[in-house]
Amino acid sequence: MTRPAIRSLRAWRDLGEAAVRLALARYRLQTTPAARLIGALRQPYLPPPGGSADTQVRAEQMAWALAAAARRVPWRSDCFVQCLAADTWMRARGLRPEFHLGVAKTPDGHLKAHAWIKYGDAIVAGGSADGYEVLIAPEAE
């Protein structure tokens, strides 16, 4: 993953935008039914008019900023909040987010859920998906 120098203006802008998008995502999570949020994450990608798709490097910079901001904001920004933030940010920048939702069984037999967003081969939000059985993934085109 590309880690921009923290002294760069782009890195500071990305951290600020990530924090704002995480705050908005947290608010959406508290005010919108989960089924509606998942439906929005599964919506087909429509590129913005006049926009062009950014590169894999840009998606990796977003991933870095979201993870760094999520560790530092004073509210809970777990995998689902990060996915909501990444989805809106990526779509606004002409990137196609790929939402995934999976489950895994804990050693004591309980189920735990995990959400993540991919772009190409990189996970942009939510962290590692290792050990999770995928329940929701993008439909093949």
Side-chain angles (χ1 to χ4, degrees):
M1 178 180 306
T2 303
R3 292 188 172 175
I6 198 67
R7 291 177 290 219
S8 77
L9 183 57
R10 170 164 310 269
W12 283 109
R13 272 195 314 234
D14 285 350
L15 281 171
E17 183 158 4
V20 168
R21 290 194 180 272
L22 287 167
L24 293 171
R26 186 69 194 165
Y27 176 77
R28 283 179 64 203
L29 182 62
Q30 292 175 328
T31 61
T32 308
R36 210 155 122 207
L37 293 173
I38 290 172
L41 287 165
R42 297 188 72 198
Q43 284 297 311
Y45 171 77
L46 300 172
S52 62
D54 283 4
T55 65
Q56 185 75 29
V57 170
R58 184 67 185 123
E60 290 173 1
Q61 290 169 340
M62 289 175 163
W64 170 83
L66 281 166
R71 287 189 305 269
R72 290 167 176 84
V73 293
W75 57 86
R76 185 172 169 208
S77 291
D78 57 13
C79 60
F80 194 67
V81 171
Q82 291 177 41
C83 286
L84 291 170
D87 183 75
T88 59
W89 193 4
M90 292 176 72
R91 287 175 190 259
R93 297 297 184 270
L95 295 165
R96 170 184 263 167
E98 297 177 0
F99 174 69
H100 295 77
L101 182 66
V103 295
K105 199 177 257 191
T106 64
D108 59 353
H110 294 92
L111 286 179
K112 61 181 180 174
H114 182 55
W116 62 98
I117 295 263
K118 286 182 74 175
Y119 180 79
D121 292 332
I123 294 180
V124 177
S128 175
D130 293 342
Y132 288 89
E133 187 71 30
V134 177
L135 295 178
I136 295 175
E139 296 178 14
E141 295 179 21

